[in-house]
């Protein structure tokens, strides 16, 4: 410490306040900003550890505190000036001392002004992080979609006014056929099932007894089950590309639901996902928390997964039986580790995602950058079911801990376990009797 | 089908073995949709493109007559249409030699059905009743020989004047007709039986039909009901009535009744179907407990997967999607070796030619 004692006496208090502000805020970005500037204050260190679950950052409030410090310093300078002026014949030492105090105060005030600028930059970074999180291009496209479709008001489509919608999302190397059978079994008489195939063609059914009765859209609209709008819609969805990244699925699904008139304030969506479909469902919930009522998954690899790691490490030249890690879907994640190159094209897919990112990483990121979205996620009913073979360790492909999303903490409201049959239990989870019963229960709430 | 380029015609032996009561025939496998017309194929096409929605009243080798489905309680009358067998054949002709059978199958289903919906007036067909629904759930019925107003609320205490009742004609011949009624809100079903001269009309709630049938109350209406066996009459989906004993018989939940109510596919409702021997019985034999089979054939899901080059850990779905005399359409879906799905396919088992039965392997996308 090289400042004048009179200045240090004030800086003791400022240092204490600075550490308190940084700790209360809980943001590492803010801490970095203070640590960057504080050497210029030249008194002590910003040395708090950050263990907060929540980030509370109010740039204006922080800058108000710093403004208070600046005013304190200005008051001190005035006071020292008055004292200096009271000396009748100041000695060279008096002059030097006053000049030293004044220079210290000026330096500290300069540092505090720079600190305020850094706080403003942190605020700007918070806003940018939200956009980057969703990728700039996709955010821009979503904004355009919002503009054209006016999502704040009801979006008109064939199925507008249906308030209860269940969306079923399959996993990797698969499609929605099993979920179609499970949805049918879980559905109530009179419910409507929409089966969207990978080629984009839709089939429409009304549940009659144990069988789905198929209709053209025109004929469907003539049925009371459609006219009444009371029944639930079960939307069994095939991703456009089998192994596409969850963000791609979320964006495509958004578009399709909007076309059907199912993204509006009245409609509440219950999401069901198997395997990577659990991640896809979670992604949709993160992107549209206002429209999602629940997320229910089984067999979901919320942690990184050995299959993803191994498959992603294999190049197209070598090939790997039974999986297609090279499958391209036109999406590139902003996380460079969540990418691979095939045929000279950089892209992201299920395998890059499962090998590089735990869902907990994304959630922590979301917590830091969009606390209000995180709060909305906490309000969604999220159930993570795990299939297992008997010892409750794993289902042949995914550990029970990963399926339960243990690293997601209290974001998961309920964790369930089901013993599933088959050599690789993972393959039979969608059709497991208890899971189908769970689907039915969720749809009743 | 996934992971399986078109590889042309191939022959599989020993996968299907057709056994009738006194002869054995090997089933031939062919990849692709059937290449030519046949009566059973035509019936199947009519069922899929029309019959799944509208109500088939009669069919012959020349034409089909339907009552149009009334899907809403707001529908006020029964309408009729027909098409000829030739018109139906022309309609599904694109299925032959289509490179994209799944897409063609779906497009024909989704297509506007002007080609097959030729309206007929009741006067053109003597036994088709003219039925209109008026306010208060009153039906005005006019046949060739009589006219009557029927108050559903009076006929049965379970229906009130304000109930939202939709009504569909499900059966009609020169003796009389049967209406299926349903409360749109509660989904409770009713059946109205009526003779052509309207001298006898009765309404039963679905849950009371068995008891009423066994009490002999349906005897006056037996001439209306289709014969489906030596002693059995078609009653309602999955049920027949023995005209001699008045006993109502239901198909076991594990079994499937054919569309014409005449045959039973034993264990056909299991999903997945059991590998190996498949048995089809006539309805008379089934309900009398005879083990006499109309047809027996063997299925090997493993061999089908091998021939289609599905790298699979096993079948996860094997379901009967359509079953009528001599014609069965299955859906088979296979799990991936370690993850996901290996592939899926429909199988059309054509048993019309007992000497040369054939199984067509083609993915119609029919799940």
């Amino acid at each position: 410490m090289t400042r004048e004692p009179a200045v240090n006496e004030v800086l003791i208090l400022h240092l204490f306040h600075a550490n308190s502000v940084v700790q209360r805020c809980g943001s590492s970005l803010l801490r970095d900003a203070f640590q960057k500037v504080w050497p210029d204050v030249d008194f002590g260190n910003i040395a708090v550890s950050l263990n907060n679950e929540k980030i509370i950052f109010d740039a204006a409030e922080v800058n108000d505190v710093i403004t208070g410090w600046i005013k304190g310093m200005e008051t001190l300078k005035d006071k020292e000036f008055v004292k200096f002026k009271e000396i009748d014949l100041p000695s060279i030492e008096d002059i030097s001392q006053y000049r030293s105090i004044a220079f210290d105060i000026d330096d500290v005030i300069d540092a505090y002004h720079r600190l305020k600028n850094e706080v403003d930059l942190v605020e700007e970074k918070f806003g940018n992080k939200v956009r980057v999180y969703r990728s700039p291009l996709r955010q821009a496209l979503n904004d355009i979609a919002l503009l054209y479709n006016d999502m704040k008001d009801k979006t008109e489509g064939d199925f507008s006014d249906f308030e209860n919608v269940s969306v079923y999302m399959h996993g990797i190397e698969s499609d929605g056929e099993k979920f179609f059978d499970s949805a049918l079994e879980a559905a109530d008489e009179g419910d409507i099932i929409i089966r969207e195939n990978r080629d984009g063609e839709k089939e429409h059914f009304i549940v009659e007894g144990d069988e789905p009765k198929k209709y053209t859209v025109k004929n469907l609209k003539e049925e009371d089950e459609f006219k009444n709008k009371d029944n639930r819609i079960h939307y069994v969805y095939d991703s456009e590309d089998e192994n596409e990244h969850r963000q791609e699925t979320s964006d495509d699904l958004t578009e399709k639901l909007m076309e059907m008139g199912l993204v509006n304030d009245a409609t509440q969506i219950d999401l069901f996902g198997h395997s990577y479909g659990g991640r896809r469902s979670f992604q949709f919930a993160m992107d549209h928390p206002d429209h999602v009522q629940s997320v229910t998954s089984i067999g979901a690899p919320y942690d990184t997964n050995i299959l993803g790691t191994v498959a992603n490490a294999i190049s197209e030249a070598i090939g790997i039986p039974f999986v297609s890690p090279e499958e391209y879907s036109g999406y590139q994640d902003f996380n460079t580790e969540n990418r691979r190159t095939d045929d000279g094209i950089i892209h992201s897919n299920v395998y890059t995602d499962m090998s590089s990112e735990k869902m907990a990483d994304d959630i922590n990121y979301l917590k830091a950058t969009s606390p209000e979205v995180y709060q909305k996620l906490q309000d969604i009913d999220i159930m993570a079911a795990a299939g297992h073979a008997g010892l409750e360790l794993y289902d042949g492909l995914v550990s029970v801990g990963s399926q339960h999303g243990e690293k997601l903490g209290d974001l998961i409201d309920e964790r369930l376990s089901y013993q599933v049959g088959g050599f690789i239990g993972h393959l039979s989870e969608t059709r497991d009797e208890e899971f189908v019963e769970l689907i039915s229960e969720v749809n009743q709430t | 089908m996934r992971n399986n380029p078109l590889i042309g015609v191939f022959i599989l032996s020993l996968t299907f073995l057709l056994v009738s009561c006194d002869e054995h025939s090997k089933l031939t496998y062919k990849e692709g949709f059937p290449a030519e017309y046949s009566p059973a194929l035509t019936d199947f096409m009519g069922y899929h493109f029309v019959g799944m929605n509208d109500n088939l009243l009669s069919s012959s080798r020349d034409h089909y007559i339907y009552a149009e489905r009334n899907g809403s309680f707001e529908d006020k009358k029964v309408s009729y249409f027909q098409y000829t067998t030739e018109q139906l054949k022309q309609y599904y002709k694109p299925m032959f030699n289509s490179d994209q059978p799944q897409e063609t199958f779906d497009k024909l289903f989704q297509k506007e059905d002007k080609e097959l919906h030729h309206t007929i007036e009741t006067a053109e067909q003597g036994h088709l009743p003219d039925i209109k629904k008026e306010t208060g759930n009153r039906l005005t019925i006019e046949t060739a020989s009589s006219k009557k107003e029927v108050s559903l609320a009076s006929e049965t205490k379970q229906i009130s004047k304000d109930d939202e009742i939709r009504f569909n004609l499900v059966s009609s011949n020169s003796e009389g007709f049967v209406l299926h009624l349903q409360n749109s809100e509660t989904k409770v079903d009713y059946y109205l039986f009526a003779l052509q001269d309207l001298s006898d009309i009765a309404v039963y709630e679905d849950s009371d039909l068995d008891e009423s049938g066994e009490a002999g109350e349906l005897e006056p209406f037996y001439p209306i009901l289709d014969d489906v066996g030596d002693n059995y009459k078609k009653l309602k989906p999955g049920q027949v009535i023995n005209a001699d004993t008045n006993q109502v018989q239901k198909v076991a939940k594990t079994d499937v009744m054919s569309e014409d109510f005449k045959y039973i596919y034993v264990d056909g409702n299991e999903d997945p179907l059991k590998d190996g021997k498949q048995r089809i019985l006539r309805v008379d034999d089934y309900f009398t407990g005879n083990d006499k089979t109309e047809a027996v054939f063997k299925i090997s899901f493993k061999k089908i997967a091998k021939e289609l080059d599905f790298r699979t850990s096993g079948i996860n779905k094997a379901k009967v999607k359509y079953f009528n005399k001599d014609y069965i359409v299955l859906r088979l879906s296979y799990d991936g070796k370690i993850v996901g799905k290996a592939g899926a396919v429909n199988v059309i088992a054509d048993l019309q030619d007992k000497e040369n039965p054939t199984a067509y392997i083609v993915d119609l996308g029919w799940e």
Side-chain angles (χ1 to χ4, degrees):
Chain A
M1 284 177 273
T2 58
R3 297 284 183 209
E4 290 293 324
V7 176
N8 286 340
E9 280 177 21
V10 179
L11 286 177
I12 289 172
L13 198 60
H14 289 183
L15 177 64
F16 176 77
H17 281 167
N19 277 301
S20 296
V21 163
V22 168
Q23 187 162 55
R24 188 177 70 245
C25 173
S27 163
S28 59
L29 288 176
L30 187 69
R31 183 183 58 184
D32 291 347
F34 268 72
Q35 285 177 342
K36 180 181 174 184
V37 174
W38 208 259
D40 293 335
V41 175
D42 196 18
F43 185 85
N45 297 305
I46 303 298
V48 292
S49 58
L50 303 175
N51 295 316
N52 300 11
E53 286 186 10
K54 272 188 184 179
I55 291 175
I56 307 166
F57 174 62
D58 184 339
E61 188 183 325
V62 173
N63 278 341
D64 280 351
V65 170
I66 301 170
T67 300
W69 298 340
I70 292 171
K71 283 184 179 163
M73 282 294 161
E74 286 169 347
T75 302
L76 176 64
K77 190 176 177 184
D78 289 345
K79 190 176 158 190
E80 291 299 323
F81 182 74
V82 165
K83 267 173 72 177
F84 176 70
K85 282 298 182 189
E86 284 174 352
I87 302 171
D88 283 338
L89 292 168
S91 63
I92 194 66
E93 291 79 13
D94 291 331
I95 293 169
S96 292
Q97 190 181 26
Y98 170 71
R99 189 186 299 122
S100 183
I101 292 172
F103 282 168
D104 273 351
I105 291 171
D106 287 342
D107 285 347
V108 170
I109 290 174
D110 280 347
Y112 285 165
H113 279 296
R114 283 200 301 281
L115 183 58
K116 286 179 78 174
N117 288 340
E118 289 295 326
V119 171
D120 288 338
L121 282 174
V122 169
E123 186 180 39
E124 202 175 305
K125 279 181 188 176
F126 266 35
N128 286 342
K129 285 287 184 185
V130 172
R131 286 191 282 279
V132 167
Y133 179 79
R134 298 190 185 185
S135 105
L137 181 59
R138 287 187 186 277
Q139 183 62 39
L141 288 172
N142 286 342
D143 288 342
I144 291 169
L146 284 170
L147 180 66
Y148 281 115
N149 292 293
D150 194 14
M151 279 178 76
K152 284 181 183 175
D153 298 324
K154 196 163 54 179
T155 304
E156 294 300 318
D158 278 341
F159 297 91
S160 298
D161 296 324
F162 278 92
E163 295 185 357
N164 298 303
V165 180
S166 296
V167 177
Y168 302 86
M169 182 51 59
H170 63 83
I172 65 174
E173 309 287 349
S174 193
D175 62 23
E177 185 164 357
K178 281 186 185 175
F179 255 135
F180 177 74
D181 292 334
S182 294
L184 172 64
E185 214 172 299
D188 287 334
E189 185 88 7
D191 282 357
I192 293 171
I193 301 179
I194 302 172
R195 174 82 176 93
E196 175 145 358
N197 297 303
R198 185 146 287 140
D199 57 9
E201 295 299 324
K202 288 197 191 77
E203 296 173 285
H204 302 84
F205 305 84
I206 293 178
V207 177
E208 294 187 14
D210 295 331
E211 288 300 316
K213 190 163 180 180
K214 190 172 172 180
Y215 292 83
T216 62
V217 174
K218 175 178 166 288
N219 289 343
L220 178 72
K221 288 180 177 179
E222 290 168 5
E223 297 289 315
D224 282 335
E225 283 81 357
F226 180 88
K227 291 181 180 181
N228 293 341
K229 313 283 187 192
D230 290 339
N231 296 296
R232 178 171 285 269
I233 288 182
H234 302 264
Y235 181 47
V236 183
Y237 179 69
D238 278 1
S239 56
E240 287 185 11
D241 294 293
E242 195 171 58
N243 294 330
E244 64 187 24
H245 188 279
R246 55 187 151 98
Q247 187 63 68
E248 182 82 14
T249 306
S250 174
D251 291 345
D252 290 341
L253 185 59
T254 305
E255 198 179 309
K256 288 170 198 290
L257 289 171
M258 280 169 59
E259 278 168 10
M260 290 193 280
L262 292 173
V263 182
N264 55 66
D265 289 340
T267 302
Q268 281 297 304
I269 299 171
D270 295 292
L271 295 160
F272 298 92
H274 171 247
S275 189
Y276 191 79
R279 282 195 177 215
R280 287 172 168 152
S281 302
F282 222 98
Q283 184 65 56
F284 185 88
M286 288 195 285
D287 292 341
H288 305 286
D290 289 324
H291 300 289
V292 174
Q293 177 166 261
S294 71
V295 177
T296 305
S297 66
I298 188 166
Y302 288 118
D303 294 342
T304 53
N305 184 270
I306 187 71
L307 174 64
T309 307
V310 169
N312 193 44
I314 302 295
S315 72
E316 187 182 356
I318 298 172
I320 181 170
F322 322 127
V323 296
S324 307
E326 75 285 358
E327 190 178 84
Y328 177 70
S329 66
Y331 175 72
Q332 192 179 118
D333 197 271
F334 74 89
N335 177 2
T336 55
E337 290 182 19
N338 196 335
R339 296 176 187 172
R340 55 180 284 139
T341 304
D342 292 291
D343 293 331
I345 300 173
I346 302 172
H347 67 113
S348 308
N349 63 18
V350 300
Y351 291 106
T352 61
D353 194 40
M354 284 198 300
S355 64
S356 65
E357 281 190 38
K358 318 189 270 297
M359 284 303 295
D361 289 343
D362 264 11
I363 292 299
N364 288 337
Y365 218 43
L366 183 75
K367 211 193 309 187
T369 58
S370 296
E372 70 283 354
V373 174
Y374 181 78
Q375 182 58 52
K376 287 178 181 177
L377 266 188
Q378 286 200 304
D379 293 337
I380 295 173
D381 289 330
I382 302 178
M383 271 177 285
H388 63 86
L391 292 177
E392 300 203 36
L393 294 175
Y394 78 145
D395 65 3
L397 281 180
V398 186
S399 72
V400 166
S402 179
Q403 293 179 68
H404 276 160
E406 283 172 2
K407 293 188 176 72
L408 296 173
D410 63 2
L411 199 58
I412 307 293
D413 296 294
E414 199 173 347
R415 294 176 168 87
L416 303 155
S417 294
Y418 303 126
Q419 186 159 351
V420 291
F423 179 64
I424 302 177
H426 188 80
L427 294 169
S428 59
E429 281 162 344
T430 313
R431 296 293 293 125
D432 178 76
E433 208 174 296
E434 287 180 285
F435 181 62
V436 173
E437 210 173 292
L438 178 63
I439 295 174
S440 181
E441 282 167 17
V442 171
N443 284 339
Q444 299 303 323
T445 55
Chain B
M1 287 174 280
R2 177 192 153 136
N3 297 333
N4 186 40
L6 287 173
I7 58 171
V9 173
F10 63 89
I11 307 289
L12 270 182
S13 61
L14 300 179
T15 304
F16 268 63
L17 183 69
L18 180 71
V19 176
S20 69
C21 33
D22 57 4
E23 65 182 89
H24 291 72
S25 298
K26 282 184 185 175
L27 208 68
T28 302
Y29 267 101
K30 289 187 180 176
E31 189 179 342
F33 192 77
E36 51 190 36
Y37 296 110
S38 69
L41 172 62
T42 302
D43 281 345
F44 165 50
M45 293 283 100
Y47 163 82
H48 187 77
F49 297 130
V50 186
M52 285 209 298
N53 272 158
D54 298 304
N55 304 310
L56 179 64
L57 299 178
S58 67
S59 67
S60 67
R61 285 294 160 247
D62 296 316
H63 71 292
Y64 300 77
I65 295 177
Y66 286 81
E68 206 164 288
R69 173 173 169 81
N70 288 333
S72 173
F73 74 96
E74 294 170 328
D75 293 321
K76 299 291 183 227
K77 67 172 192 167
V78 176
S79 303
Y80 302 94
F81 66 91
Q82 67 177 346
Y83 54 80
T84 66
T85 304
E86 279 311 306
Q87 286 166 338
L88 177 57
K89 284 179 176 178
Q90 280 305 305
Y91 188 82
Y92 77 82
K93 191 176 175 182
M95 288 300 302
F96 297 131
N97 305 316
S98 167
D99 290 336
Q100 303 285 342
Q102 181 177 342
E103 193 178 304
T104 307
F105 194 62
D106 185 55
K107 276 202 170 109
L108 289 176
F109 180 85
Q110 302 288 350
K111 194 173 153 182
E112 283 295 324
D113 48 11
K114 296 188 187 78
E115 293 171 41
L116 296 177
H117 278 230
H118 300 278
T119 304
I120 52 174
E121 301 300 334
T122 52
E124 296 175 44
Q125 299 280 343
H127 60 272
L128 297 179
D130 192 312
I131 306 176
K132 293 184 178 64
K133 186 161 75 89
E134 316 289 350
T135 54
N137 284 325
R138 289 173 297 117
L139 297 178
T140 351
I141 306 174
E142 189 173 345
T143 66
S145 55
S146 188
K147 185 174 178 177
K148 199 168 187 175
E149 185 176 285
V150 176
S151 165
L152 292 175
S154 301
E155 288 295 325
T156 169
K157 289 177 189 167
Q158 289 93 335
I159 295 178
S160 77
K161 288 180 182 177
D162 300 319
D163 284 343
E164 295 179 351
I165 300 291
R166 54 187 172 191
F167 67 116
N168 281 280
L169 189 73
V170 294
S171 179
S172 180
N173 64 16
S174 57
E175 302 292 337
F177 54 90
V178 180
L179 278 175
H180 171 243
L181 311 166
Q182 188 186 62
N183 186 316
S184 273
E185 290 174 304
T186 64
K187 302 288 185 271
V188 174
D189 294 310
Y190 307 86
Y191 290 90
L192 182 151
F193 298 83
L195 298 179
Q196 277 290 337
D197 62 6
L198 305 180
S199 60
D200 203 346
I201 297 176
V203 179
Y204 300 96
E205 188 174 326
D206 185 36
S207 57
D208 297 330
L209 194 61
D210 292 5
E211 196 180 316
S212 303
E214 290 180 359
E217 291 178 32
L218 296 179
E219 281 181 21
F221 305 112
Y222 281 172
I224 305 171
L225 306 179
D226 291 340
D227 291 318
V228 294
D230 294 337
N231 301 310
Y232 289 94
K233 300 261 182 196
K234 172 180 169 181
L235 184 57
K236 60 175 188 174
Q239 283 185 233
V240 296
I241 188 164
N242 186 314
D244 288 343
T245 63
N246 294 335
Q247 191 180 9
V248 174
Q249 300 272 21
K250 283 181 198 174
V251 178
K253 282 185 179 172
T254 51
D255 304 330
V256 174
M257 183 174 268
S258 63
E259 288 302 317
D260 63 7
F261 283 64
K262 293 179 180 175
Y263 301 92
I264 310 291
Y265 188 140
V266 177
D267 292 332
N269 206 27
E270 299 279 13
D271 182 20
L273 291 173
K274 291 192 184 78
D275 221 1
K277 207 178 270 190
Q278 314 291 310
R279 292 183 177 83
I280 293 175
L281 273 62
R282 290 178 63 246
V283 72
D284 296 89
D285 296 316
Y286 178 83
F287 286 117
T288 52
N290 289 341
D291 58 2
K292 185 178 166 189
T293 55
E294 177 71 11
V296 177
F297 58 94
K298 274 187 182 174
I299 293 175
S300 172
F301 302 137
K302 205 170 169 183
K303 286 187 178 175
I304 293 174
K306 195 175 173 187
E307 291 303 324
L308 295 175
D309 199 28
F310 286 171
R311 290 178 289 184
T312 177
S313 60
I315 197 128
N316 74 72
K317 176 175 172 177
K319 196 169 174 177
V320 174
K321 297 301 298 178
Y322 171 83
F323 166 45
N324 212 351
K325 183 177 186 296
D326 298 329
Y327 225 68
I328 301 153
V329 181
L330 305 176
R331 175 67 173 179
L332 306 182
S333 180
Y334 293 84
D335 280 328
K337 197 73 173 174
I338 53 171
V339 69
K341 182 177 177 180
V345 74
N346 291 108
V347 176
I348 301 174
D350 182 351
L351 313 177
Q352 293 173 96
D353 183 349
K354 296 285 190 285
E355 300 297 321
N356 296 295
T358 308
Y360 298 92
I361 300 182
V362 57
D363 189 7
L364 299 172
W366 196 12
E367 296 178 346

